[in-house]
Amino acid sequence: MTELPAEAAQVVAGCHVGSDAMRRSAEVAGNGAVLARYAADYPAGPHDQPQSMCPAFGSLRVGLRMRRTATVLSGSACCVYGLTFVSHFYGAKRSVAYVPFSSETLVTGKLFEDIRDAVEDLADPALYDAVVVTNLCVPTASGVPLRLLPKAINGVRIIGIDVPGFGVPTHAEAKDILSGAMLAYARGEAEQGPVQAPRGGPASRPTITLLGEMFPADPMGIGAMLDPLGLAVGPVVPVGEWRQLYAALDCAAVAAIHPFYTASLREFAAAGRTAVGSAPVGRDGTAAWLAAIGEACGIAAAKVATAQNRFLPLIGEALAKAPIRGRITLSGYEGSELIVARVLVESGADVAYVGTACPRTPWSEDDRAWLEARGVPVKFRASLEDDLAAVDALAPDLAIGTTPVVQHAKQKAIPALYFTNLISARPLMGPAGAGSLAQVINAALANKARFETMRAFFEGPAEGEGGR
């Protein structure tokens, strides 16, 4: 066993030592390269800690949604409890394995041996294609070397990742950490020889891989729009099982629907695949996206025009039938905030502010430029304070945002909707997405008078720490 350096051992007391101390400890303990990569892939914003849920929730959710994939967490018991609770609250149906530790096992290196033993016990090829092991804050800061785990045991792939709160800004980006690690592993396998085919067999047409979690109907809608181009929809990354990784890499191009998947896009680039930003949202977005896909795949302009002429009028009609009138502020941490804003603008809404907790990337540039050309300010790496200030300054008719933004708006008698559950959980792409938000948006806008009545009735009591 190898004992930790003295400075790294200081974090055993817990994560209350602060992010700076944990970062220094991780560097001393040998995890500096991991943090440097994360700093480049996910540049931090004005806040040095995630303002949403623990980032490891994102990678944990990716693994728990995959067939034949086991998940192991290494971290403080309180963190593991919280992560497993929220994961099952969001619909996870499988157990999460946990390797506990003490000050002694962490400092002496015994924790790594315990993790390795646990992985060896789990690695049953009859049950699993892969085992994912995730270091949380304290093991990362202490330098627990998951990179030294075997690459495979009994034919079961072993994927070790670090997802510390002091190095990963959002849980959305943690999805990319695990997806990127899996794509890198799968790409290496494909380069060595034949790999497992998709369940339905190889695609008969060149495919477009979709990057980013999507409403289930959207890939089908995109497939219909790609059909006139002679293309088909490939897997959606994050994938549902390991074999889909090979099919995802074997694409004609990859669509960065959510533009923050930096590590995943690096793997597609290494595989020689072209990435296309934005998404087929609204009339303008669909026209530009189909043209970009056609260019990336070498499709004749006439075929692209055929697809555009078939679908753009349908989108225009759907938008016209479901207008949205009102001033809206929009913020979130899912990564789809800009494309949602585009749909709202084309629906007639006055979108006064767009804030996303995700960073600005080359694949979000088209959406940013389109929005800003229409007078919509876009704030990347927006903090909660930014989002709240926008609600206060702009006095919208409707605020769309995270839970604290919704709470803040409703206290001001402003109708509000939770982005994750009520907005991103709807189709956005093509004709099905056009007008899909109008019903819920217009219903919320119509609640302004009700909110004013409730504020007038309840104003005063229970304000402040003690209420009255």
Side-chain angles (χ1 to χ4, degrees):
M1 293 183 291
T2 302
E3 293 196 9
L4 296 176
E7 185 173 346
Q10 293 175 3
V11 303
V12 173
C15 51
H16 63 269
V17 297
S19 60
D20 289 341
M22 298 189 83
R23 191 174 291 108
R24 287 194 302 270
S25 295
E27 291 169 352
V28 169
N31 269 340
V34 172
L35 296 183
R37 168 51 63 193
Y38 290 170
D41 285 351
Y42 318 113
H47 43 85
D48 64 352
Q49 293 273 6
Q51 290 189 308
S52 64
M53 61 189 72
C54 169
F57 170 68
S59 55
L60 179 62
R61 189 163 69 164
V62 167
L64 288 174
R65 288 179 172 181
M66 290 181 66
R67 290 191 182 103
R68 294 178 51 82
T69 300
T71 298
V72 181
L73 290 179
S74 169
S76 299
C78 55
C79 299
V80 173
Y81 171 78
L83 284 166
T84 53
F85 176 86
V86 75
S87 293
H88 289 289
F89 178 81
Y90 274 84
K93 296 180 180 179
R94 273 176 288 156
S95 298
V96 178
Y98 169 47
V99 181
F101 63 86
S102 65
S103 298
E104 180 180 356
T105 61
L106 186 63
V107 171
T108 62
K110 178 69 165 53
L111 174 57
F112 174 76
E113 296 181 4
D114 291 342
I115 292 172
R116 186 182 58 203
D117 292 344
V119 169
E120 288 177 348
D121 290 341
L122 271 174
D124 181 350
L127 299 175
Y128 300 117
D129 294 326
V131 175
V132 177
V133 186
T134 303
N135 269 345
L136 304 180
C137 286
V138 171
T140 294
S142 302
V144 176
L146 298 182
R147 62 188 178 277
L148 299 183
L149 289 172
K151 298 301 180 187
I153 300 174
N154 300 325
V156 178
R157 304 158 186 88
I158 309 301
I159 310 292
I161 57 173
D162 290 86
V163 189
F166 58 86
V168 183
T170 69
H171 77 276
E173 287 156 301
K175 299 173 189 176
D176 178 48
I177 290 175
L178 180 52
S179 294
M182 289 183 163
L183 284 165
Y185 198 120
R187 184 170 62 83
E189 291 180 312
E191 289 172 349
Q192 293 171 12
V195 293
Q196 196 173 23
R199 284 183 180 270
S204 59
R205 291 180 168 191
T207 60
I208 303 299
T209 294
L210 306 178
L211 193 53
E213 291 182 314
M214 303 177 65
F215 184 77
D218 277 334
M220 293 185 288
I222 293 174
M225 290 186 284
L226 291 175
D227 183 68
L229 305 183
L231 302 171
V233 165
V236 177
V237 178
V239 297
E241 61 178 326
W242 188 271
R243 68 171 73 187
Q244 290 179 326
L245 293 164
Y246 309 127
L249 289 163
D250 186 25
C251 62
V254 55
I257 303 295
H258 289 189
F260 59 84
Y261 279 79
T262 305
S264 298
L265 286 162
R266 184 164 54 244
E267 296 306 319
F268 284 105
R273 309 306 183 217
T274 300
V276 174
S278 192
V281 291
R283 184 183 176 91
D284 286 1
T286 301
W289 188 82
L290 287 171
I293 290 291
E295 181 179 354
C297 299
I299 305 298
K303 283 190 173 183
V304 173
T306 297
Q308 291 171 329
N309 292 335
R310 180 181 301 178
F311 291 101
L312 298 187
L314 297 176
I315 294 170
E317 291 173 10
L319 291 169
K321 289 179 180 177
I324 297 174
R325 300 287 183 262
R327 170 173 283 197
I328 297 174
T329 59
L330 185 152
S331 55
Y333 45 56
E334 300 295 337
S336 57
E337 291 76 29
L338 274 65
I339 59 176
V340 169
R342 291 189 64 155
V343 174
L344 294 177
V345 170
E346 287 206 40
S347 298
D350 172 17
V351 180
Y353 167 83
V354 177
T356 175
C358 295
R360 181 174 175 174
T361 73
W363 305 283
S364 61
E365 281 301 282
D366 288 346
D367 297 325
R368 179 201 59 77
W370 189 93
L371 289 166
E372 291 185 351
R374 286 154 182 79
V376 180
V378 178
K379 177 73 173 179
F380 292 99
R381 280 288 187 242
S383 65
L384 173 59
E385 293 76 14
D386 292 327
D387 298 339
L388 297 179
V391 172
D392 290 341
L394 298 169
D397 300 307
L398 173 68
I400 300 172
T402 57
T403 300
V405 173
V406 168
Q407 179 184 22
H408 181 76
K410 288 183 176 179
Q411 287 176 334
K412 298 173 70 68
I414 296 173
L417 295 172
Y418 180 36
F419 183 94
T420 300
N421 284 4
L422 296 174
I423 302 300
S424 65
R426 278 176 163 72
L428 294 174
M429 316 297 169
S436 69
L437 298 178
Q439 183 176 7
V440 66
I441 295 289
N442 287 328
L445 286 168
N447 278 332
K448 178 67 174 176
R450 180 182 296 177
F451 274 90
E452 291 286 2
T453 300
M454 287 192 293
R455 184 172 70 168
F457 182 81
F458 289 107
E459 194 168 26
E463 290 184 352
E465 288 189 11
R468 71 170 189 261

